[in-house]
Amino acid sequence: MAEFIQISVDGLVIGTIYGLIALGFSIVYRVTGAINLAQGGFVVISALIGFSLTQVFGMPAYAGLPLAVIVTTVVGTALGSVTFVPALGRLSNSNVLMITVGILTMLEGLSFVVWGSQPYAPPVFSGKVPVSIGNVHIPTQDFWVLATVAVVLVGLWYLIGHTRLGRALRACSENPMAASLVGVNVSRVTVLSFMLATALAAIAGVVVAPTTTLQFDTGRLFTISGFIAVVIGGLSSAGGGACRRPVAWGGHAVGYSLCVFAL
């Protein structure tokens, strides 16, 4: 029984991270109708930048890791603005998909040039000794992962459901043409969706890094796993109406990924 609980807890944490990555897939797809396979690359880039800032340059984790998320988000947004967004109106979805694969490959190449091929294992945020509950041992980093994802989901719920930017996102996901007619800048909203997806991947990267080892090509694993999670939950599934219930954006992806990877 203890072994089953241990495996379930470990799977829950892994599923939470994949669910966070899946949310990025879902947001971009609902706004643009295209799939962004570069998600996993931003996970690794953020984690490696965080490792360098904290372990090489000696920055404290509370400053270095948020800075890594910000840098990755800025870089990802810039890449999306000059490649992904312009291609949406000129190329087919299959060609746009290949562009995101190219971005992923470029990020892998950048990681290889800067950090090499050796694996990296960042230290946990706090407490190296696992928390023991009976015969179940829970690494302290798991609590950081679950807490971070909970905060991100609440923040995303508030952004999409209670802000002007969120209303613009929902409008573009429903009908981009109608949204543009009422004054919504669809191009900017598209960039915003890519930025949100990149930020989610970057946050996932810094919190999951201490639980695993990272190499320049680990982004493929995160991309594949996140994509599986969002496909199981439904790329455009919104729990019966995301525009009326914005918290459900990607909700199926998160829920299913928790169940699948826990099992």
Side-chain angles (χ1 to χ4, degrees):
M1 185 62 181
E3 183 179 355
F4 172 78
I5 296 175
Q6 183 74 64
I7 294 173
S8 298
V9 170
D10 294 341
L12 177 66
V13 174
I14 295 173
T16 300
I17 289 296
Y18 292 157
L20 192 59
I21 299 171
L23 270 175
F25 277 107
S26 181
I27 289 172
V28 172
Y29 183 81
R30 286 193 57 82
V31 173
T32 68
I35 297 172
N36 173 27
L37 292 180
Q39 279 289 92
F42 294 120
V43 174
V44 174
I45 285 289
S46 176
L48 292 178
I49 291 176
F51 178 88
S52 295
L53 291 176
T54 57
Q55 303 304 307
V56 178
F57 295 103
M59 292 183 66
Y62 64 81
L65 298 182
L67 181 58
V69 172
I70 293 172
V71 170
T72 304
T73 302
V74 170
V75 171
T77 304
L79 283 174
S81 299
V82 300
T83 58
F84 181 80
V85 175
L88 288 171
R90 304 175 185 177
L91 303 175
S92 65
N93 282 351
S94 59
N95 288 330
V96 174
L97 179 68
M98 293 308 299
I99 287 176
T100 64
V101 173
I103 295 175
L104 175 60
T105 304
M106 185 190 71
L107 293 174
E108 290 180 344
L110 176 63
S111 300
F112 179 77
V113 170
V114 176
W115 289 281
S117 60
Q118 66 268 31
Y120 289 86
V124 297
F125 292 176
S126 63
K128 295 182 180 180
V129 179
V131 176
S132 298
I133 303 175
N135 292 324
V136 178
H137 307 288
I138 306 174
T140 56
Q141 190 63 28
D142 289 0
F143 295 102
W144 284 100
V145 170
L146 295 174
T148 300
V149 172
V151 170
V152 169
L153 289 178
V154 171
L156 190 62
W157 166 80
Y158 181 81
L159 172 67
I160 293 177
H162 298 84
T163 67
R164 185 174 180 180
L165 290 176
R167 289 193 293 271
L169 279 168
R170 301 201 309 273
C172 290
S173 71
E174 277 290 299
N175 192 323
M177 180 69 70
S180 65
L181 291 176
V182 296
V184 176
N185 190 319
V186 178
S187 295
R188 289 184 181 179
V189 173
T190 303
V191 173
L192 173 63
S193 70
F194 198 91
M195 181 183 72
L196 284 174
T198 304
L200 290 172
I203 293 170
V206 296
V207 297
V208 76
T211 68
T212 184
T213 56
L214 299 168
Q215 291 178 280
F216 71 97
D217 59 350
T218 311
R220 301 180 188 181
L221 171 64
F222 289 115
T223 291
I224 293 171
S225 300
F227 185 68
I228 290 173
V230 79
V231 167
I232 292 174
L235 270 168
S236 58
S237 167
C243 292
R244 292 181 296 278
R245 290 183 290 166
V247 71
W249 274 42
H252 281 188
V254 175
Y256 280 121
S257 62
L258 295 181
C259 295
V260 169
F261 292 101
L263 296 175

